[in-house]
Amino acid sequence: MGTRKVAVITGANGGLGYSIACRLLDTISPSVPLTIVVTARYLRKAVETINRLRAYASNRDLLSFDYVLLDLSSISSIDEVAHQLLSRYTHIDYLFCNAGGGDFTGIDWPAAFIEVISGPKNAVTHPHFKRERIGRISRDSLGWVFQINVFANYFFVKQISTLLSGGGRVILISSIETEIAHKFDPEDVQLINSDQPYVDSKKELELMHAAIAERWAEELDVQIYLTHPGICQTSIFAEYLNWFTTFGMLCLFYIARWIGSPWHVITPYKGALAPVWAAVDAVPEADPVDGIVYASATDRWGRPYVKPTHNASTEDRKNGAILVEVMDKLVEDSLERIKVEDK
């Protein structure tokens, strides 16, 4: 029996988050004591997720669960969760920053039809037909999508950095769609004016990683891996699809995979391969954290593998430094505001 491992998975009740937990259970030996800390916004979701995971791993004796209620759209909630973890644990081995989302409003169906007819593989790899709300502001007076996908992860990791130091691993979840992101705008870091804030926020996550991964590895011995799950079925856009369009989308996924796309992994469990590999199996000397995205991929027959992609450019590092400087100031401002609210 080895030392107990502790894994925190944000958004563990969702398709990819739940699949990360399942794959983690399948990857780490049952002889290793393991605690999985589930985060969810609501108690019911947290309890349901833990019950499902208990059933999934019913043969493991050295497994325990914990939960915290986390709302990424509230900096106070993130700060409270950080304090809870600091009071319960002395070390966290794996932090999967999976939770997040987009402020989608629907699908431009005529544009979707044209894109599918023009190039079905590209239409389901780099779609331009998803509609997003522009200018949504969080209760913390920040760009809402920027907050939940970028700043919340940065703030959370900084707040629990003492638990991660000395070998902990942080797994960030990006997206293949960053290939169609807008150019970074230092005048709109919070993406309030962006017409595709979800994609642009995932690109900012990559910029953030390019700015901090090497430094945190050297200064804190925290390995921050950047991954993406390929393209798989999740609930992030499900409300805008019915059974017919869902079936059509799946057919296009399989077609795209068959004609050569490595990214259409389709199932969340296969999408969870790269994040779990980065947490458990990656070797920093051979699999460096700096500037690389490790992606879940499959061959034509659906056999999954991890595919390194996208080396950060000099411009990415420059823009990442600007982004981190802005976020460091936001961290200071947020902590000051929390102090005032607590008085």
Side-chain angles (χ1 to χ4, degrees):
M1 186 185 341
T3 304
R4 177 167 292 275
K5 300 291 186 181
V6 178
V8 177
I9 306 173
T10 68
N13 57 290
L16 181 62
Y18 178 76
S19 294
I20 287 172
C22 291
R23 189 174 276 280
L24 192 67
L25 289 166
D26 293 338
T27 302
I28 295 178
S29 170
S31 64
V32 175
L34 174 65
T35 295
I36 293 180
V37 182
V38 167
T39 88
R41 290 185 63 189
Y42 305 107
L43 176 60
R44 177 178 59 84
K45 291 288 188 181
V47 172
E48 287 176 355
T49 301
I50 288 173
N51 288 338
R52 289 172 65 197
L53 290 172
R54 285 190 193 281
Y56 184 85
S58 58
N59 61 330
R60 294 183 74 121
D61 297 324
L62 303 176
L63 176 65
S64 64
F65 292 97
D66 192 3
Y67 71 85
V68 286
L69 301 183
L70 175 64
D71 180 359
L72 296 181
S73 68
S74 167
I75 299 302
S76 295
S77 171
I78 303 169
D79 187 62
E80 172 60 27
V81 166
H83 281 90
Q84 290 178 28
L85 294 175
L86 286 163
S87 68
R88 297 180 195 178
Y89 299 99
T90 58
H91 184 70
I92 290 174
D93 298 276
Y94 317 119
L95 170 61
F96 294 91
C97 295
N98 165 71
D103 196 15
F104 299 106
T105 60
I107 295 173
D108 183 341
W109 288 108
F113 179 77
I114 292 171
E115 284 192 41
V116 169
I117 295 300
S118 302
K121 184 171 78 169
N122 192 61
V124 290
T125 305
H126 302 120
H128 292 84
F129 48 76
K130 293 186 287 187
R131 293 175 175 168
E132 298 183 59
R133 185 176 288 109
I134 299 174
R136 183 174 176 182
I137 304 297
S138 74
R139 72 190 77 173
D140 297 303
S141 300
L142 301 174
W144 188 81
V145 176
F146 162 78
Q147 176 168 325
I148 66 171
N149 287 341
V150 189
F151 181 62
N153 289 321
Y154 186 70
F155 184 86
F156 189 36
V157 171
K158 289 204 76 169
Q159 290 299 90
I160 63 170
S161 60
T162 56
L163 295 178
L164 294 162
S165 63
R169 297 194 179 190
V170 176
I171 312 302
L172 302 176
I173 310 293
S174 184
S175 168
I176 182 65
E177 292 185 52
T178 58
E179 294 176 359
I180 59 169
H182 291 136
K183 182 179 175 62
F184 175 73
D185 182 0
E187 300 300 318
D188 188 30
V189 167
Q190 296 185 31
L191 307 175
I192 294 170
N193 299 316
S194 173
D195 60 358
Q196 53 173 33
Y198 175 77
V199 172
D200 291 347
S201 71
K202 291 298 186 179
K203 180 59 181 180
E204 287 196 343
L205 203 64
E206 293 184 357
L207 299 180
M208 180 187 88
H209 178 264
I212 68 172
E214 187 174 26
R215 175 161 55 88
W216 280 50
E218 292 175 354
E219 295 177 1
L220 298 175
D221 190 18
V222 176
Q223 307 296 322
I224 305 179
Y225 278 94
L226 180 64
T227 69
H228 81 63
I231 299 168
C232 56
Q233 266 194 302
T234 67
S235 60
I236 193 170
F237 212 70
E239 65 181 292
Y240 301 108
L241 301 171
N242 55 34
W243 70 268
F244 179 76
T245 51
T246 298
F247 177 75
M249 179 187 70
L250 279 174
C251 289
L252 288 172
F253 281 5
Y254 280 104
I255 290 170
R257 188 165 80 186
W258 183 249
I259 62 178
S261 168
W263 306 125
H264 289 78
V265 300
I266 301 176
T267 68
Y269 186 80
K270 289 180 179 178
L273 174 62
V276 173
W277 169 86
V280 180
D281 294 324
V283 178
E285 293 77 15
D287 309 302
V289 296
D290 186 38
I292 300 175
V293 181
Y294 293 97
S296 300
T298 65
D299 63 15
R300 283 186 172 87
W301 291 268
R303 293 175 294 204
Y305 63 97
V306 176
K307 182 177 176 68
T309 181
H310 179 70
N311 289 301
S313 66
T314 301
E315 185 178 12
D316 287 339
R317 297 182 191 281
K318 176 183 175 182
N319 290 332
I322 295 171
L323 172 63
V324 167
E325 183 178 1
V326 171
M327 291 199 295
D328 280 335
K329 181 62 168 62
L330 288 175
V331 169
E332 292 178 12
D333 293 345
S334 297
L335 292 175
E336 282 299 317
R337 181 175 56 78
I338 290 170
K339 287 181 183 178
V340 171
E341 291 175 349
D342 287 345
K343 286 182 179 178

